[in-house]
Amino acid sequence: MPVTRILTCVKFVPDTADEVEFAADHTIGRPAAGSMLSELDEYAVEQALQLRDALPGSTVSVLTVGPEQAEGALRKALQMGADEAYLVTDDAIACSDVFGTVRVLTAAALTVPDVVVVLCGMSSTDGEMGVLPALLAGGLGWPLLSLAATLTVTEAGLRIERTDEVGTRTVEATLPAVVSVTDRSGEARYPTFKDVMAAKKKTVTRLDLAALGVAPAEVGAVAARVQVRDITRNPDRPPGRVVVDHEGSSVDELVAFLTAR
Amino acid sequence: MSDIVIIGAGVIGVATAHALTARGITDITILDRDSVGSGGTGKSAGIVRCHYGVTSVAALALASLEFFENAEAELGQDIGFEQVGYLVGVGPENVEPFRASLANQRSLGVDTREIGHDEVAAMWPTAYLDDFATFCFEPRGGYGDGYATAQALATSLKAKGVTIRQGAKVTEIVVDGDKVTGVRLADGEVVPAGLVVVAAGAWSVPLVSPLGITLPIQPIWVQEVLIDPAVDLGAPPVFSDLVSKQYVHLRGGEMLFGNSSGEGAMTPIDDPDVYPSRATNETVELVVEKAMHRFPGIEDPRLATTATGVIDTTPDNNPIVSATGYAGLFIAAGMSGHGFKIAPALGRLMADIMLDGDTTLPHVVASEFRLSRYDDGEPLVSPFVYHGATGIR
Ligand SMILES: Cc1cc2nc3c(=O)[nH]c(=O)nc-3n(C[C@H](O)[C@H](O)[C@H](O)COP(=O)(O)OP(=O)(O)OC[C@H]3O[C@@H](n4cnc5c(N)ncnc54)[C@H](O)[C@@H]3O)c2cc1C
């Protein structure tokens, strides 16, 4: 059985439970200690691990593009059970727009040998654009199975179910393919102790632009076609209104409040 | 106007108000910038024990036990206290101070006894015990729920006529000369008061610094790891493991691991509001290693999740419960990560100091908690020093 790789793209994002900070250049501050594997990408890792069981001879690799600390996201995926990891890090990549990121990911997916499936989460929890899987499929020239709620192996390739307000569609594609999975695809597993300890010994391969054959001019701020012009924080929510009751006096006030809504 | 304003509706603020009402005083306003139990109280592991080397602190813990045991009847609400017992295991290097401390605790009336490996093996059959020299067991210990306790106290206080204002952030303590006259809120409103208690944890520091009062309180980021044992472990006692330097207890079927030593898991931070909400990979790996060593009998445990919080630590790891140089201004802060289990009695201590300048709590020396003890060179430390553990024993 030839080795096949399931490559899962993951992102190192600020912890959604923490206060978000914006830098002066409108990037989102990424405090090393307060960042994590994007929760939406945990679903992709979970599906990759399940796919590994369904595709004999396959292994799961995780890939991220980011600063050195982004290894933290890869370690979490390795703890969940991924076999190996790739970290693409290069100063020239900083401030890339989604096209720049996709340029790097495309090159990486073609550099890592034997990749037959690229898995992604449905969106990042920080940028929240949700377009990356489609652009990546375009870059690779592979079919896209987007927003999968279920993922199964067929004789010809893969089949997904996509569920939305309209109903459920069943979509199939041949391999190689790009798949994005939603948060309905099944809870990510808890890492076992054995996996946590094993993850310490798994390798994280570092790649830079030169290794991927990507020119610095193709990525980063210089190549960015999308620019964030301004960020305005939502105002704090006003405190709730307290209705004080004096022997039933609050009823009218409550009714008025509810009917006004 | 209220006679008394308490800043902070954590377990310490509400316990202080509770003790004041027990003495017939209800003209009290508690102000919290957020909500009842929203600070350290809501994140507490809630371990309850009397195993302390400092007599006054052991006595506070003992007096608090009575509250925890009777709260449901007294307050008419469940406070989530689970009296599963409290177990301590020490290595050979600590046997001597351990036995001396136990003797002292028993002299105060603490129900604690030394037990052997067999008894512990029956309580925690999954644990590896060979590297412990001896153990003690407190049947009245266990763990509580900080949030539920603070909420239950708050509900009972409201029924007694105490005012609790949430979303009311104090920005200034107002004084007239050397006498406190009230507090100012973020929106400019002044709440007048004859007595003001600062019970705002690490946030107390900037509240009193403009008055020239320096509180030696350092916010420290602490990390906890929750483990899914994937099997039913029953309801074993809270396990304080002074060999691996960790505490473990079962909460809703999950095992909560906290670090009881400085190693990595206690990080000083500048701002008590800014810290990561999840544990680091290094902490997770450390806990997993320690847990695998200690619980080989749990076959396939899994990492469930992690949690973090902030504790307000003083130089001697003991609280500041004190008058100040300003008439009417009092401090109850710096709980150093163990304020939950002593809160009920500590509230009483604060109330006694406010009303009488001293306390009648048995075995508690009020002056030992004074703020000036650091300048006086009289820190509150245990005479029974454990090797390799923090000073909160
Ligand atoms: C992870 C963790 C585990 C712990 N485990 C244990 C344990 O096992 N056993 C134990 O005994 N203790 C434990 N502790 C410690 C214990 O929980 C605390 O000591 C205790 O809850 C502190 O209560 P507090 O009322 O002093 O502080 P807090 O609960 O922090 O209350 C302070 C309140 O002040 C308010 N405040 C702050 N600034 C202002 C302002 N300007 N104006 C108005 N209000 C303000 C805050 O909103 C907050 O509600 C633990 C703590 C943590 C974080």
Side-chain angles (χ1 to χ4, degrees):
Chain A
M1 188 53 79
V3 174
T4 52
R5 268 201 181 73
I6 302 157
L7 185 66
T8 310
C9 301
V10 300
K11 192 172 182 187
F12 183 61
V13 297
D15 192 331
T16 39
D18 294 340
E19 191 78 11
V20 176
E21 282 168 42
F22 299 109
D25 63 357
H26 303 320
T27 54
I28 296 175
R30 199 172 343 201
S35 299
M36 53 184 265
L37 169 62
S38 171
E39 273 167 358
L40 289 172
D41 294 342
E42 286 190 12
Y43 294 96
V45 175
E46 177 60 39
Q47 288 308 310
L49 296 172
Q50 292 186 23
L51 199 54
R52 179 176 65 189
D53 296 338
L55 284 175
S58 64
T59 61
V60 172
S61 305
V62 280
L63 163 67
T64 194
V65 180
E68 196 53 41
Q69 308 93 290
E71 186 180 340
L74 297 174
R75 285 279 160 213
K76 176 73 200 287
L78 292 173
Q79 286 178 347
M80 287 175 67
D83 299 293
E84 53 153 16
Y86 295 89
L87 169 60
V88 183
T89 185
D90 198 307
D91 289 345
I93 299 173
C95 299
S96 288
D97 63 3
V98 68
F99 297 104
T101 307
V102 166
R103 177 73 189 91
V104 176
L105 288 173
T106 306
L110 296 173
T111 302
V112 174
D114 309 314
V115 174
V116 290
V117 181
V118 173
L119 265 167
C120 303
M122 62 193 280
S123 160
S124 62
T125 52
D126 57 349
E128 291 185 75
M129 295 217 288
V131 295
L132 186 140
L135 291 174
L136 185 54
L140 289 164
W142 296 359
L144 171 69
L145 294 170
S146 66
L147 302 175
T150 66
L151 173 62
T152 44
V153 177
T154 63
E155 218 145 272
L158 295 173
R159 173 188 302 143
I160 66 146
E161 285 179 332
R162 182 191 307 138
T163 304
D164 57 24
E165 306 80 56
V166 182
T168 299
R169 287 166 235 243
T170 304
V171 190
E172 292 185 1
T174 53
L175 297 178
V178 175
V179 182
S180 72
V181 304
T182 70
D183 52 359
R184 296 191 195 179
S185 57
E187 283 301 310
R189 68 192 59 188
Y190 287 161
T192 66
F193 277 23
K194 293 179 195 98
D195 284 335
V196 171
M197 297 316 288
K200 291 174 76 169
K201 297 193 196 82
K202 291 175 183 168
T203 47
V204 175
T205 305
R206 282 172 172 66
L207 300 167
D208 58 10
L209 289 179
L212 299 178
V214 175
E218 293 179 77
V219 297
V222 284
R225 285 180 275 167
V226 180
Q227 282 183 0
V228 180
R229 281 286 178 219
D230 197 16
I231 294 179
T232 325
R233 213 175 252 289
N234 289 336
D236 284 343
R237 271 203 357 211
R241 200 168 105 216
V242 178
V243 176
V244 184
D245 185 81
H246 295 292
E247 293 171 18
S249 67
S250 64
V251 174
D252 290 346
E253 211 178 331
L254 278 174
V255 170
F257 173 79
L258 291 171
T259 42
R261 304 217 104 197
Chain B
M1 103 169 221
S2 269
D3 279 347
I4 299 177
V5 158
I6 296 174
I7 308 172
V11 70
I12 298 299
V14 293
T16 300
H18 180 72
L20 287 165
T21 59
R23 296 194 53 177
I25 296 164
T26 54
D27 200 357
I28 304 168
T29 299
I30 306 178
L31 303 168
D32 199 288
R33 63 169 192 170
D34 194 341
S35 56
V36 173
S38 62
T41 295
K43 303 200 153 123
S44 187
I47 294 173
V48 169
R49 58 162 161 114
C50 298
H51 192 97
Y52 279 101
V54 175
T55 296
S56 287
V57 179
L60 286 177
L62 180 60
S64 298
L65 254 186
E66 258 162 60
F67 170 86
F68 293 125
E69 287 171 342
N70 302 323
E72 207 174 322
E74 192 192 331
L75 304 178
Q77 275 192 75
D78 182 14
I79 61 161
F81 180 48
E82 299 290 340
Q83 203 161 35
V84 290
Y86 178 77
L87 175 71
V88 187
V90 295
E93 72 286 4
N94 280 321
V95 171
E96 208 181 303
F98 180 73
R99 289 197 172 129
S101 180
L102 288 183
N104 185 58
Q105 291 164 42
R106 275 193 297 266
S107 76
L108 306 174
V110 175
D111 181 2
T112 184
R113 64 189 162 90
E114 202 170 335
I115 61 172
H117 289 69
D118 290 356
E119 248 183 285
V120 178
M123 295 169 173
W124 274 101
T126 49
Y128 168 77
L129 303 174
D130 289 358
D131 52 358
F132 290 107
T134 187
F135 307 87
C136 74
F137 182 63
E138 271 180 51
R140 291 173 75 194
Y143 63 93
D145 180 333
Y147 189 76
T149 305
Q151 289 290 342
L153 281 167
T155 306
S156 137
L157 288 169
K158 282 186 216 161
K160 289 177 183 154
V162 171
T163 305
I164 300 180
R165 289 177 61 182
Q166 309 186 90
K169 181 177 176 174
V170 175
T171 51
E172 188 190 339
I173 294 169
V174 188
V175 295
D176 180 7
D178 58 3
K179 191 182 173 332
V180 73
T181 59
V183 299
R184 193 185 311 277
L185 303 183
D187 63 3
E189 179 190 346
V190 172
V191 184
L195 301 178
V196 171
V197 182
V198 184
W203 299 279
S204 304
V205 178
L207 283 172
V208 298
S209 61
L211 303 175
I213 301 171
T214 307
L215 294 180
I217 292 175
Q218 169 69 53
I220 290 186
W221 180 55
V222 292
Q223 308 174 44
E224 291 173 340
V225 175
L226 280 107
I227 298 214
D228 173 7
V231 285
D232 184 3
L233 297 176
V238 175
F239 193 169
S240 172
D241 168 358
L242 294 189
V243 170
S244 293
K245 302 181 185 74
Q246 62 188 348
Y247 56 83
V248 190
H249 72 102
L250 234 66
R251 209 177 250 276
E254 281 181 349
M255 302 169 86
L256 187 150
F257 281 77
N259 237 26
S260 58
S261 80
E263 280 174 37
M266 291 206 177
T267 316
I269 53 173
D270 293 332
D271 181 339
D273 284 312
V274 182
Y275 58 89
S277 58
R278 279 161 228 257
T280 62
N281 260 332
E282 293 75 57
T283 299
V284 167
E285 285 166 7
L286 182 69
V287 168
V288 164
E289 263 173 62
K290 287 181 178 185
M292 290 202 331
H293 168 76
R294 185 58 64 214
F295 298 102
I298 302 175
E299 211 162 296
D300 193 17
R302 278 137 210 274
L303 175 65
T305 182
T306 68
T308 74
V310 171
I311 59 174
D312 47 336
T313 297
T314 64
D316 57 9
N317 288 295
N318 275 313
I320 297 165
V321 192
S322 183
T324 63
Y326 292 86
L329 181 63
F330 297 87
I331 312 283
M335 296 302 137
S336 308
H338 55 121
F340 173 72
K341 68 178 71 63
I342 55 175
L346 193 137
R348 155 105 186 267
L349 172 64
M350 183 76 272
D352 288 354
I353 291 174
M354 291 165 71
L355 303 177
D356 312 323
D358 201 353
T359 187
T360 51
L361 276 163
H363 305 294
V364 178
V365 181
S367 64
E368 288 180 353
F369 296 92
R370 73 191 184 281
L371 170 58
S372 64
R373 69 181 187 267
Y374 304 106
D375 289 338
D376 299 343
E378 293 174 15
L380 189 50
V381 289
S382 168
F384 318 109
V385 183
Y386 290 169
H387 304 284
T390 54
I392 63 165
R393 282 187 174 72

